Amino acid sequence: MKILLLRFPLREQNRFTIPWHLAFFKQILEPMGHQVVILDGQVDPMSTEQYVQYALDGEFELVGLGGIATCFGKMQKFSRLMKEARPEVTLVAGGHVTADIPFIMEKTRVDIIINGEGELVLANLVQALAEGRDWQGIKGLSYRAGGDIVRNPDERLLDMDELPDLDLSQLPLEKYDTSVPGYFLVDDEARRLEQAGYKALHFFPARGCPYRCTFCYRHIPKYRYYKREKLDRMFAYLKDNGFAFLVLSDECITANRKHFTTICELARKHGIYWLSNSRVNYITEDVLDLALSHNCVGLKYGVESFDQQMLDAMKKGTTVRQNIDALNLGYRYGLVVPLQLILGTDGENRDTILNTRRGVWSYWPTEDQANVAILNPYPGTPDYLLALEKGLIQDKEAFHLGLTNQNKAEMSVNFSLLSEAELKAWQWWLHVEQALSYRVKLRTWRLDRSFRYRLRRFAGAYLRLLKEPANFFQFNRYLLRGVDYWFDRPPVLQWREKFPGRATT
Ligand code: SF4
């Protein structure tokens, strides 16, 4: 069969994330005698009409579509145009964008959805189609039958070692961003490697996450990782091919101590510098000592809130104390730890935000930067189901299209007990307050562009709140209530006390 695998472009043109899963599909299908072309909208951006024309010109018999939920509008349009032009082409979709299967079946012209992990299911489906066999019984598929939608039982999850080896020749790597970010250059050896021409690359050493935060989409259960022998081969292969700086897109690399220790040991063995993700409940001196003495340049972790009620509502499984301790440890070790907060969880109010503001002043920041997001209940997440249950999403199509067209400042659903205008004013105030905390603690009074931008955004949101006089009054009352802890300096900590030799450029 002639197969096109298409990843739609995201709103942000990010050329750093490489679609390894598409490469795996290709590596599995081609030895079976099929011809596979990968078209990644992140590096080949086109209009939807142009993607359709590409598929028509190439005379593909099957088109595999996928991406995150923000691709819905493009997928809907592509499937309509494609079916109008050539109805016999089989459209198969998977990934986050298909999280609400009945809705996708109703509102797009996709023929088949792959539920969950795709490698085994797509191979079985393509083979059945190519041989003209019935495919309806294949595990892991959803499809229309008469007026119904059939969802077959799930296919088994792969052992990660069953996946094909990484093969850099499967993707046009020259189109991706493999430049080395400054945070990797922590010592003389890292700088030497960068000058010698070594590049940066991201890949997934594990799949899944053992946690279930309510805002996070987890369509594949369990936490699985490659065994040591395979990882050893991968690290050697990447280093031999000029990649010495790896972003390991593991959802929580510390979730399994054996896997984490393996990564550390192999990184040092192969002279590879790395960055990955963790959670505050794993950030201890023991973990950071192990990571940083084995070429780790950073472990990112989202604190989300400094209010326990909100952390519990998110099912985050962490405490405010753990958040503060993890951030302070990050400071003592000199890690790059941007503050990541989520506002607007179910029940958020002025008091819970006051606690989060207090938390912003209770730790030593490593960076003059905060990511303060307002909760978006992405399809497939527990928060999406909650929004449906509460009637906060009345029209699923408008909601999905809203995610496609939304700019970052827009809100899709408001779970909080505050008006949308007030929530946005607090969002921008938290940006400003983090910047103030940074400046007070580190005694730096930079009035740089980024600080002025945050002030401007806050001023705009604050003025818009004037249209709601009662909320404007309460906002100011709470704003002043927060000021007392500005001068409540947490115990002094020493920046990079633990690894003083390290210095990023
Ligand atoms: S937010 Fe992080 S820890 Fe929570 S479920 Fe998602 S990946 Fe796991």
Side-chain angles (χ1 to χ4, degrees):
M1 280 190 99
K2 225 179 152 194
I3 299 164
L4 173 66
L5 300 176
L6 172 58
R7 177 166 82 156
F8 291 110
L10 304 175
R11 284 196 305 256
E12 294 95 13
Q13 209 62 43
N14 169 346
R15 292 192 302 114
F16 192 62
T17 58
I18 294 168
W20 289 114
H21 60 297
L22 299 185
F24 291 156
F25 292 149
K26 188 168 183 311
Q27 286 167 268
I28 292 168
L29 294 171
E30 286 192 336
M32 292 164 65
H34 307 291
Q35 189 186 335
V36 180
V37 173
I38 295 173
L39 187 56
D40 181 5
Q42 288 301 95
V43 293
D44 286 311
M46 298 183 204
S47 68
T48 305
E49 289 79 0
Q50 286 171 315
Y51 286 129
V52 171
Q53 198 55 52
Y54 185 96
L56 292 172
D57 292 346
E59 301 192 337
F60 293 99
E61 300 159 84
L62 183 148
V63 182
L65 307 166
I68 60 171
T70 55
C71 299
F72 169 75
K74 294 188 184 86
M75 189 171 88
Q76 187 184 45
K77 187 172 176 186
F78 179 94
S79 67
R80 179 174 52 79
L81 296 177
M82 195 70 210
K83 284 291 182 182
E84 281 167 10
R86 198 167 291 162
E88 65 276 19
V89 172
T90 306
L91 298 182
V92 181
H96 183 202
V97 65
T98 62
D100 189 337
I101 293 171
F103 165 75
I104 296 294
M105 281 300 186
E106 186 194 341
K107 295 293 177 184
T108 72
R109 295 190 62 186
V110 160
D111 298 301
I112 301 168
I113 290 177
I114 292 181
N115 322 316
E117 196 164 64
E119 283 85 2
L120 284 177
V121 184
L122 187 62
N124 291 338
L125 173 66
V126 167
Q127 202 56 23
L129 288 169
E131 292 170 5
R133 287 191 278 114
D134 278 354
W135 51 265
Q136 285 80 352
I138 292 174
K139 283 185 178 173
L141 298 181
S142 293
Y143 54 91
R144 295 179 203 86
D148 295 328
I149 292 161
V150 177
R151 180 175 176 152
N152 288 346
D154 289 344
E155 179 53 272
R156 73 173 173 90
L157 291 176
L158 284 171
D159 181 321
M160 290 284 286
D161 283 20
E162 290 179 73
L163 288 171
D165 284 342
L166 292 185
D167 181 351
L168 297 165
S169 69
Q170 299 293 337
L171 294 158
L173 272 190
E174 67 289 350
K175 294 185 178 178
Y176 292 87
D177 182 3
T178 55
S179 60
V180 183
Y183 54 72
F184 273 113
L185 307 180
V186 292
D187 57 23
D188 289 345
E189 175 60 8
R191 286 185 280 274
R192 186 192 69 73
L193 287 167
E194 197 248 356
Q195 275 161 20
Y198 282 92
K199 298 283 183 199
L201 195 77
H202 106 274
F203 85 97
F204 299 87
R207 281 183 176 178
C209 171
Y211 293 90
R212 288 290 172 270
C213 306
T214 59
F215 55 85
C216 187
Y217 177 59
R218 302 269 110 237
H219 73 307
I220 300 179
K222 295 194 178 166
Y223 176 68
R224 292 162 297 151
Y225 47 89
Y226 292 112
K227 293 196 185 68
R228 185 185 183 96
E229 295 67 31
K230 182 140 175 161
L231 274 172
D232 197 3
R233 278 206 309 279
M234 284 180 174
F235 277 38
Y237 172 72
L238 292 175
K239 185 75 185 288
D240 287 349
N241 282 280
F243 296 97
F245 304 96
L246 298 183
V247 175
L248 302 177
S249 301
D250 192 313
E251 306 286 8
C252 184
I253 201 157
T254 46
N256 180 290
R257 184 65 185 219
K258 189 173 160 205
H259 170 59
F260 175 58
T261 306
T262 299
I263 293 278
C264 289
E265 290 173 358
L266 293 178
R268 193 156 76 183
K269 173 181 169 186
H270 294 286
I272 281 174
Y273 289 79
W274 58 284
L275 171 86
S276 193
N277 305 303
S278 179
R279 297 179 106 245
V280 296
N281 51 315
Y282 291 104
I283 301 301
T284 59
E285 295 208 23
D286 175 38
V287 161
L288 293 186
D289 278 335
L290 180 61
L292 269 72
S293 58
H294 289 79
N295 293 358
C296 173
V297 302
L299 283 176
K300 292 193 191 166
Y301 35 89
V303 305
E304 328 302 2
S305 174
F306 290 103
D307 179 87
Q308 195 58 49
Q309 186 193 330
M310 290 296 94
L311 291 173
D312 294 345
M314 294 174 197
K315 296 207 171 19
K316 189 71 194 170
T318 54
T319 65
V320 174
R321 189 68 254 164
Q322 284 173 325
N323 281 347
I324 294 170
D325 289 347
L327 289 164
N328 279 335
L329 269 182
Y331 185 84
R332 288 173 61 208
Y333 278 78
L335 289 184
V336 176
V337 190
L339 179 68
Q340 302 189 65
L341 296 173
I342 296 178
L343 276 190
T345 295
D346 190 31
E348 185 93 84
N349 59 42
R350 294 184 191 101
D351 288 307
T352 59
I353 291 176
L354 184 66
N355 285 335
T356 290
R357 291 169 57 205
R358 190 170 281 130
V360 166
W361 290 86
S362 334
Y363 77 96
W364 283 79
T366 58
E367 283 192 277
D368 181 18
Q369 187 202 345
N371 300 321
V372 188
I374 292 184
L375 177 68
N376 238 337
Y378 284 109
T381 63
D383 283 334
Y384 176 72
L385 298 179
L386 182 67
L388 290 172
E389 191 186 305
K390 288 188 160 215
L392 297 172
I393 298 175
Q394 297 281 345
D395 179 342
K396 283 188 185 180
E397 188 173 12
F399 174 76
H400 276 75
L401 286 171
L403 292 177
T404 304
N405 302 322
Q406 188 182 34
N407 71 44
K408 274 184 168 174
E410 285 174 6
M411 268 179 74
S412 48
V413 164
N414 185 359
F415 286 105
S416 79
L417 304 179
L418 304 171
S419 72
E420 191 172 323
E422 185 172 351
L423 200 57
K424 283 184 186 162
W426 285 121
Q427 178 190 22
W428 284 103
W429 176 249
L430 272 161
H431 278 279
V432 171
E433 208 159 0
Q434 192 277 340
L436 292 173
S437 164
Y438 180 87
R439 281 159 178 73
V440 168
K441 294 213 183 66
L442 305 186
R443 298 188 194 288
T444 164
W445 289 102
R446 293 201 312 241
L447 284 175
D448 52 13
R449 232 170 94 188
S450 140
F451 184 53
R452 292 199 303 276
Y453 172 77
R454 284 173 273 181
L455 277 178
R456 261 202 321 279
R457 293 300 303 260
F458 168 66
Y462 184 73
L463 291 176
R464 277 191 291 280
L465 193 57
L466 274 169
K467 291 185 194 149
E468 300 173 7
N471 291 334
F472 184 74
F473 171 76
Q474 289 294 353
F475 183 89
N476 286 300
R477 197 166 77 80
Y478 268 77
L479 198 65
L480 292 174
R481 274 185 67 188
V483 173
D484 58 332
Y485 54 71
W486 284 20
F487 306 99
D488 211 5
R489 217 156 168 252
V492 174
L493 297 177
Q494 209 50 52
W495 163 245
R496 227 186 272 131
E497 164 202 341
K498 286 290 191 172
F499 278 78
R502 286 187 160 211
T504 51
T505 52

